[in-house]
Structure formats: structure tokens, C-alpha cells
Amino acid sequence: MTVLQLPSARQAPLMAPPERYRTAAWIAEVVFYGDFTAEWVLKHCPREQLSRKCVRFFESRVRRWAADRHRAGAA
């Protein structure tokens, strides 16, 4: 018979830290290497609308979106 051990309160669960929200300017500079403007990123990339004026992006989501678009155009 096997006994499963549950993590104690002292052991933190193995989870990745939550991803940070990024601005359109950051996405344009880091993800697209300055090839596109922040305005282009705001208009075309998947985003999170935090309030009426506050828009933020997840880097991984934008990178996946760009890779999917690239693959679709290359096919």
C-alpha cells in the first residue's frame, strides 16, 4: 500500500509566478523589437481591458498570437 504525502504548510507548491501585465510600449519594444509602434500594438494585439482607459498585455499571449499569425501566413 502506498501512502501519499501532502505538502506541509512549510512547503510552497511548485507553481510558476504569475505573469506581469505589460504596456503597449513595452510589447512594441521587447516583443517586436521596435518594428511596430505602441499604437499598432493597441490596435492589433490581444489585450486585457482593465478599465475604460487602462489596457495591458500578457507577453506570452502576444507571442503566441504573433507565432500563430506567422504560421498562418507562411502556409
Side-chain angles (χ1 to χ4, degrees):
M1 179 164 133
T2 0
V3 177
L4 297 175
Q5 287 199 344
L6 298 174
S8 68
R10 286 180 270 151
Q11 293 174 334
L14 299 175
M15 293 175 53
E19 189 176 358
R20 295 179 57 188
Y21 283 122
R22 302 296 186 179
T23 62
W26 190 93
I27 293 290
E29 186 63 33
V30 175
V31 175
F32 296 114
Y33 305 107
D35 291 340
F36 298 102
T37 63
E39 290 79 17
W40 186 91
V41 171
L42 282 168
K43 186 175 179 181
H44 294 92
C45 293
R47 62 184 175 262
E48 301 293 322
Q49 189 82 35
L50 301 180
S51 70
R52 189 170 61 84
K53 290 184 176 183
C54 187
V55 176
R56 293 293 184 262
F57 302 85
F58 285 121
E59 178 184 2
S60 62
R61 188 171 171 202
V62 172
R63 286 187 187 275
R64 269 194 315 272
W65 172 82
D68 291 345
R69 303 253 319 179
H70 182 72
R71 275 193 300 270

